[in-house]
Amino acid sequence: MVTFGFRPRGQILNRLLDVYSKSSKIIYARKLFDRSPEPDIFSRTSMVLAYSLSGNIKKARELFEGTPLSIRDSVFYNAMITGFSRNEDGLACFRLFRQMLRDEFRPNNFTFTSVLGGLALVVDREMQCRQMHCAVLKSGTGFVTSVLNALVSVYVNCGLMFEARKLFDEINQKDELSWTTMVTGYVKNDELDAARELVDGMTEKLSVTWNAMISGYVHKGRYEEALDMFRKMYSMGIKMDEFTYTSIISCCTHAGLFQLGKQVHGYVLRTEGKPTPEFSLPVNNALVTLYWKCDKVDWAREVFNNMPVRDIVSWNAILSGYVNAGRINEGRSFFMEMPEKNHLTWNVMISGLAQNGFGEEGLKLFNQMKSEGFEPCDYAFAGAITSSSILGSLENGRQLHAQVVHVGFDSSLSVGNALITMYARCGVVEAANALFLTMPCVDSVSWNAMIAALGQHGHGLQALELFEKMLKEDLLPDRITFLTVLSACSHAGLVKEGQYYFNSMHRLYGITPGEDHYARLVDLLSRAGKFSEAKDVITSMPFEPGAQVWEALLAGCRTHGNIDFGVQAAERLIELMPQHDGSYVILSNMYATAGRWDDMAKTRKLMRDRGVRKDPGRSWVEVENKVHVFLVDDTAHPEVQAVYSYLSQLVQEMKKLGYVPDTKFVLHDMEFDQKERILSAHSEKLAVAFALMKLPRGATVRVFKNLRICGDCHNAFKFMSKVVGREIVVRDAKRFHHFRDCECSCGDYW
């Protein structure tokens, strides 16, 4: 036309506009439209529809509002109403419908179908539904199936299922959408049995309704019924699509049915020869999630590697798999490879680093997230707060707390739970308790975190009181709750109470104790010196005791000097974990305490022969937003000589109050003076002395240690707290110790 100089106008121009619009060539369509001296209503309608379909509702609206009222018609209004409906702007859709009536244009069945579709997005009152129903009847379109389908959808979205079903039954010529709307309506409103009854009564077996049923069953945790529907689909020859497979694979994922999920994967490979990207992408994403959640991360990665098309969901699924499996190095590398990242990507990586002990990296990544223009959500803040708790960085945690209050995330459950744990792990259990009491809503995680906090800080009876209060609130305890309760009993020496709660797990709550629960019970009994009972528990376990059970027994043997049981426990531990240094060290120390130097030497030699390296004791303290780390017999810290000098002065003052260095904790055969010098170089003493030198007068000292605090240091800190008139808080590998006025919160039971 251009070559021959023909200028299209009228019907030909409108046809061209329509062709360009439907081919997504809106720029060409607009050029043609702008060249027309007086575009008619047909041209304008085509352009409004084109902009609406492309999602550019702003341009569509500008064109609509720029069209004189004198040339508008009902079809033009329908086009704009359809645009609002397609772009999920229900309010604009309804307002334009009312304007259409005011402008005295008569709505038809297409109008009502579109406006009801928009209304379904925003309707929330029964009166609105009935008003629109009346309008449909008055218009004479109450017999049109498409209009009635849309009206059923309005009732469904308002939760009025009785009215929706009544209207559905009145439709004379039901089509596929009629059945789909009603079935999905029942599913959305959790009336699965009514939905199933409707599906079973259908003469035509529509895959979309069966998919809705399977999805509904999976969402409500009714996995057996979902699988039953899937098997019936197969036996009846109903065509399965990507929605079917994603739902049933999700069912296998949530129910932990790895083998069945694997069979579904094989069936998909056999039956779908050349799947489209629209099919393969969601199905492969579901398979990746299935495999990593069933601890088959390498299988998930193989599926990912063979995917012809990937999206951000695919990448995030693999990242989640690596992080949840504790394969942080691979997770880091994968994170760096990702072509794009969204909020979930950052949240997964930050939380993963925190939960696997990489607190410093978690905080750095949180700051990097902000520097790259991503506004942290409450989950990202929760990950950063957890990182602070891992580091024991109270100041960092407090700053993050202030930030979440500023941005309005202080009411978030995930943030609140992370803050409880942070304050507890940083030694401020009072702040954790105050936060717990003021949270707008709490869940079982909140209760578990607070019970654990009280237990770790030696408030065993308070922990049990809180547990009983939880039960009175009609909250059912889970397996984690009982772990925290048993730990609280163990730290406080509440043997009878611990045994009672252990026995009540299955008897009252139907929770089968796991190995970790048995380990807590063994720890409780052996700490109290009840070794025969602890041994009875081990022999009565319904499975072979693992490392954590023998570790609990060995710890109790060390405390009470029970060499016989200690040797048995250590031998089993070394057999189960030959590269774990703790078993060798505890056994060696027990021999040394008993004066069995030859046996100690043999244990140390075995350790060297197997290439096992002892994890050195280290302690750290935060001073002026900087973490200072001290090792045993430290010479690396720039102020260590001043620390030794100050510590020597403190020891002299402590001796005046009755402190005597307990040299039995020096596990070497040497003179008393040498032993005393070694005791003074313990990392926790150096860290506490440094903090006393640097922190403001009267400030609480909070020190963290990677290993169990030694007996002499524990005794020394009691006297030191009296000398300096301050509270000294030490978190070791097992619990917190609060030293005040020559006493410790543990009551010397640790």
Side-chain angles (χ1 to χ4, degrees), residues 4 34 53 165 170 184 189 427-428 628 655 734 739 750:
F4 286 98
D34 289 340
L53 288 168
R165 180 59 186 266
E170 292 172 1
T184 55
N189 286 277
V428 196
H628 296 262
K655 285 181 176 179
K734 294 291 183 183
F739 300 96
W750 55 284

Side-chain angles (χ1 to χ4, degrees), residues 29 87 104 193 235 239 244 394 434 468 514 517 564 612 743-744:
N87 288 274
E104 298 182 350
D193 294 334
S235 63
K239 182 170 175 54
T244 318
L394 180 60
E468 292 296 335
H517 296 100
D564 295 334
V612 180
E743 292 184 351
C744 179

